[in-house]
Each structure stands twice: as C-alpha cells, then as structure tokens.
Amino acid sequence: MRFWITTAAALVGALPACAQDITLKPLIEGRTRYEHVDQDGLAAASDAVTIRVRVGAEATRGAWSILGEAQGNLAIVDNYYDGLHGIADRPVIGDPQNAAIYRAQIRYRSHPLTVTAGRQRIMLDDERFVGAAGFRNNGQTYDAVRTEIVPLKGVKLDVTYAWNVRTIWGSDGRGFRQRGVSGDNVFANLSAATPIGTVTGFAYLVDQDEAAVQGYRLSNQNYGARLAGARPLGPGVKLNYQLSYARQSDYHRNPNRYQADYWLADGALDVGNWTLNAGYEVLGAGTGTALTSFQTPLGSVFKFQGWADKFTTTPPNGLHDMYVGGSHSWKKIGRIDLISFQALYHRFQSDRLNQHYGDVVNLLATVKVKKTAFSARYARYEADRFATDTTKMWLQLDWTY
C-alpha cells in the first residue's frame, strides 16, 4: 500500500504544472436513515437514526486519474446494538459510528487496458460472491490491484488481487466483526457477449486470515459460470434471465475439508410498467469431513434471501430460497422522476434434512426527484425451524451530487 501512496503523492505533485489539462470531479453524497428492528427473544427493539456522508474528488489527466474519498457515519439516535459497543440485549443494526478513508485509488485507463490500484469498490457479476455491501452505511472496500482487459469487442478479462478487505464494521471493528480482514484474495472472470446473453466463467479465491475468531473457516475457492441476458417477447414485453452455477471447496488454511454447490435460476418479465419475477437459489450443504455449507463472506448479502438478514451466514445444512414478487413504476409525474412499488416473498428450506426454516415478506416504495431518492422499506421474517420472528422497517433519504 505504501507504494501506491507514494505514487499518488508524486502524481498529485505533478498536477499543478499541467493544471489546464486536469479535470476535477467532486464526489459528494449523503444518506439519512431510520431503521427499526424488533426481534423475538431480545429484551428491547433497536432504533437507529444515522447520517452517512461521503466527500471526495477525482482528478483526471489523460489516461490517469486519482480518487480520494472519506466517509463518516454518525448515529444521532443510538438506541441499538451496533455489533461492537454496548450490551447485545437488542437486535444488531450493522451501522456503527465511523470515520475513515473509504476510497483512495489510482487508475490508468487506455483501451483495451484499465488498471486500478489502492482502496476501491469492487462489484462483480450480481455481487453474490464479491460486492460492496452498498446498503450498509460503511460499505465494503478492497485494498487491491484490479486489471481489466477488453481484447475483443464483447470480451472482457477481469482479474483482481486483494490483500485486505475493509468491512462494514468500520475503524472500531474487532473479533469476528473485524474492521479489515487480510489475505491473498484472487478474483478472476472472463465474460463474452453472445446472442443469448453475457456468459461468464469465474474463479474467486477467498483467503480470510481470521484465525483468532474463525479459525480460517471462511477461506474458500469458487469456480463456476453465469449467464445473464434479456430477450424481447413483443411490444413492451421483455424477459430477463440469470443462470449461475458454482462449486466451492476449502482453500488455503481452512481446516474443514468440504465441497458444496451453488445454483441460481432467476427470471423477470417486464410488461409495460409492471415487472413480475421469480427465482430459486441454492447454497448447498457441504460434503466432506466437516458439517459446513456454501458461504459467500465477501458478497453483498442484503441483496439476497430477504431483507430481514437472517441468513448472512449459510446454516450448516445449506439453504434453498424460492422467491416470487412483482413491482410497478411510474415515470415523470410532474416534478417526480420515478415512483415505484415492489413486493417480494421468500420461502426458505434446508438443503439437507428438508427442514422449513421460515418465510420473509419484503415491501419497498421509492420516490426519486432529480438527485434525491426517498424510500420506505419493510421486512417480516416468520420463523419455523431457524432463528426467531423478526420485523424490520426503514425510512431512507439519499442525495448524490
């Protein structure tokens, strides 16, 4: 990391001499959120009102750019357990107060090559395996070198080496909620545009050096393929689809010897302003010497398996998620750019032993006006054989410069 800081300082020092060739882009965004969580079995509910601000700038000259961005998260109502401080007699809301460098990167971009080095956001495919955890206020970033090559039209090779993952727990993170997890992570995929959609083959090697609390048990290697595409079916009608498969096994110093499979089949039908979607996702129970299951410790987990966040770690007997939902939207109503409503239902089963875990209902309403978005979100988990009944509600205001 010291090399990249030194290089950045040298480039910044050279900027004044050629200021007329520099493009400077400010980066400013703010978020205010109220989150309420009521979970059976805990003495009190959690209520949090947080303000998250990110401020930075990107300077570009020719093929080179330098980006720096700081973030701060302040709890103005802190009647919640943030996972780090206080007594765990309330549900966790994973937004601890924090002030930190969110991104600090250097980028070289000249077709067909892009290289980004330093602390950066990385979002691969649908973020199931590698993501930025964008819903949580502190986000997730990577100290990494990422190389993207487009040798042919429609073909892309994307390879990243990441030596540290900056987690959502911020600068005070500790124990199994560490602020940063080191390791020799390698993320590689090769994608190609085809008549049926984008086909991607990938290898994601996750090295989690967390011996003190996890015993390296989250280190894994994943090899798989993905298809994502869309096809018009008639005037105003379009079918969107995703298919994914991956095979996971232990990696590096993980003491557990296991293999587990991942499957995803997802489809969405757009009919005018309506969207109907359904899917089936499987994170398999492992086979081998340990009772383990398919894990995605670097994924943006809030996007999957319901917003109640009951399955951020896959249960040992694996997980089947069958979901169905729909949404409706209106564009350009007076000064309002977009109004949308979404509902989604999830039913969860184990992969092994055929246990019904529970069900989740998600509801979301969003209003967008220029650079401002307001959303109201609700999730209700009805437990059967896993965890406890949980209700979550959010009111959120986002603004981006």
Side-chain angles (χ1 to χ4, degrees), residues 18 37 99 163 182 213 266 272 306 343 365 383:
C18 50
V37 184
W163 58 88
S182 61
V213 290
D266 178 276

Side-chain angles (χ1 to χ4, degrees), residues 188-251:
N189 67 38
L190 177 64
S191 61
T194 74
I196 60 172
T198 300
V199 177
T200 304
F202 57 84
Y204 300 140
L205 311 182
V206 178
D207 181 18
Q208 298 271 278
D209 286 349
E210 19 63 293
V213 290
Q214 295 287 355
Y216 306 105
R217 289 176 295 171
L218 293 178
S219 297
N220 58 62
Q221 51 187 323
N222 307 271
Y223 303 95
R226 170 180 167 82
L227 168 67
R231 182 172 295 275
L233 301 180
V237 181
K238 183 175 68 172
L239 175 65
N240 303 281
Y241 46 86
Q242 303 176 65
L243 297 170
S244 295
Y245 169 76
R247 180 74 163 174
Q248 182 177 99
S249 60
D250 52 278
Y251 180 63

Side-chain angles (χ1 to χ4, degrees), residues 221-374:
Q221 51 187 323
N222 307 271
Y223 303 95
R226 170 180 167 82
L227 168 67
R231 182 172 295 275
L233 301 180
V237 181
K238 183 175 68 172
L239 175 65
N240 303 281
Y241 46 86
Q242 303 176 65
L243 297 170
S244 295
Y245 169 76
R247 180 74 163 174
Q248 182 177 99
S249 60
D250 52 278
Y251 180 63
H252 203 50
R253 286 179 285 181
N254 190 331
N256 299 326
R257 298 293 176 257
Y258 76 100
Q259 300 84 38
D261 293 318
Y262 171 84
W263 298 88
L264 172 69
D266 178 276
L269 185 65
D270 294 334
V271 183
N273 291 332
W274 288 91
T275 297
L276 303 175
N277 67 294
Y280 199 84
E281 186 181 42
V282 176
L283 288 86
T287 60
T289 60
L291 186 64
T292 188
S293 55
F294 202 104
Q295 304 290 339
T296 59
L298 302 184
S300 294
V301 294
F302 186 81
K303 295 177 62 176
F304 301 88
Q305 299 165 348
W307 302 329
D309 267 353
K310 308 307 289 188
F311 300 98
T312 54
T313 299
T314 308
N317 287 323
L319 179 65
H320 289 205
D321 176 14
M322 180 183 68
Y323 55 91
V324 61
S327 64
H328 187 65
S329 63
W330 297 265
K331 295 182 179 180
K332 293 296 180 183
I333 302 175
R335 295 184 179 181
I336 299 175
D337 295 320
L338 176 70
I339 299 177
S340 67
F341 295 94
Q342 179 185 356
L344 195 62
Y345 166 77
H346 294 259
R347 182 174 177 83
F348 302 109
Q349 298 278 144
S350 66
D351 183 49
R352 182 165 41 212
L353 303 182
N354 194 31
Q355 297 174 330
H356 176 228
Y357 286 149
D359 306 275
V360 164
V361 173
N362 292 337
L363 301 173
L364 172 64
T366 304
V367 178
K368 294 183 179 180
V369 180
K370 295 184 178 179
K371 298 178 180 180
T372 302
F374 172 78

Side-chain angles (χ1 to χ4, degrees), residues 53-98:
V53 177
R54 290 176 181 157
V55 179
E58 182 177 23
T60 303
R61 179 177 184 266
W64 290 91
S65 67
I66 304 171
L67 185 152
E69 187 176 23
Q71 73 173 7
N73 183 53
L74 174 66
I76 58 176
V77 174
D78 61 355
N79 298 325
Y80 70 103
Y81 177 52
D82 66 6
L84 302 174
H85 308 98
I87 301 172
D89 60 347
R90 299 172 182 263
V92 173
I93 294 178
D95 290 328
Q97 296 193 102
N98 179 50

